[in-house]
Amino acid sequence: MLGDLAAEIASHLIGLPLDYGTTVEQIAALLVAEPRNRAAVCAVVAVVVDDALADPFRETTSNRWRTRIPAWVAPQMIGVTVRRMLTLDVLVHTGRYVRSTDKHGRNTGKLMALYALNLAAPALLQTRTTAEQPAA
């Protein structure tokens, strides 16, 4: 299952620099708790991570990736996935804001957060999760 997940996400990504090849796989694995949400979560994670990795400072904002989310993904899944990425410290708030260009959601001109991708978070969370599992 995890291999399929990685292949699906990788098909949406630009070439990842250095050793970031497992980053998307790790992030998606942490977020997919409900199997029915797998495809939507993977689509959102792939677009957000792809955008952040394309930025020299690993920063991202929904202004840049909003139109790249597939139309079949429910808007609620986008928000839930981004909030979960924030909770897991995969995305971190930079303390800066930009003006929204979201006309469809009637948010044009409103301030929205600028996030940075934390590439260390998936490895730290994986280590923590493994350490918390009871011994067999």
Side-chain angles (χ1 to χ4, degrees), residues 4 6-7 14 21 33 40 42-43 49 61 63 68-69 80 99 104 117 131:
D4 295 339
I14 59 168
C42 290
V49 170
T61 175
N63 281 345
R68 295 173 39 209
I69 299 286
V80 166
R99 297 269 179 204
H104 180 71
L117 182 64

Side-chain angles (χ1 to χ4, degrees), residues 80-91 125 128:
V80 166
T81 302
V82 171
R83 282 191 297 280
R84 186 70 176 132
M85 291 173 78
L86 287 163
T87 301
L88 294 171
D89 291 326
V90 172
L91 287 180
L125 286 167
R128 188 181 324 143

Side-chain angles (χ1 to χ4, degrees), residues 21-134:
T22 60
T23 300
V24 174
E25 178 181 339
Q26 291 169 341
I27 293 168
L30 294 169
L31 293 172
V32 180
E34 171 60 50
R36 292 176 295 175
N37 297 335
R38 181 179 176 269
V41 168
C42 290
V44 173
V45 169
V47 171
V48 172
V49 170
D50 181 39
D51 181 72
L53 289 174
D55 184 86
F57 299 106
R58 303 300 184 238
E59 293 180 342
T60 187
T61 175
S62 64
N63 281 345
R64 295 198 318 233
W65 50 258
R66 183 182 303 109
T67 59
R68 295 173 39 209
I69 299 286
W72 54 265
V73 175
Q76 298 84 353
M77 284 305 300
I78 299 167
V80 166
T81 302
V82 171
R83 282 191 297 280
R84 186 70 176 132
M85 291 173 78
L86 287 163
T87 301
L88 294 171
D89 291 326
V90 172
L91 287 180
V92 292
H93 194 288
T94 63
R96 298 189 327 255
Y97 295 85
V98 296
R99 297 269 179 204
S100 177
T101 60
D102 181 17
K103 292 179 183 175
H104 180 71
R106 299 184 306 254
N107 292 315
T108 304
K110 293 181 182 177
L111 291 178
M112 58 184 222
L114 180 65
Y115 302 113
L117 182 64
N118 179 7
L119 293 171
L124 293 173
L125 286 167
Q126 184 68 23
T127 302
R128 188 181 324 143
T129 303
T130 303
E132 291 171 356
Q133 292 178 351

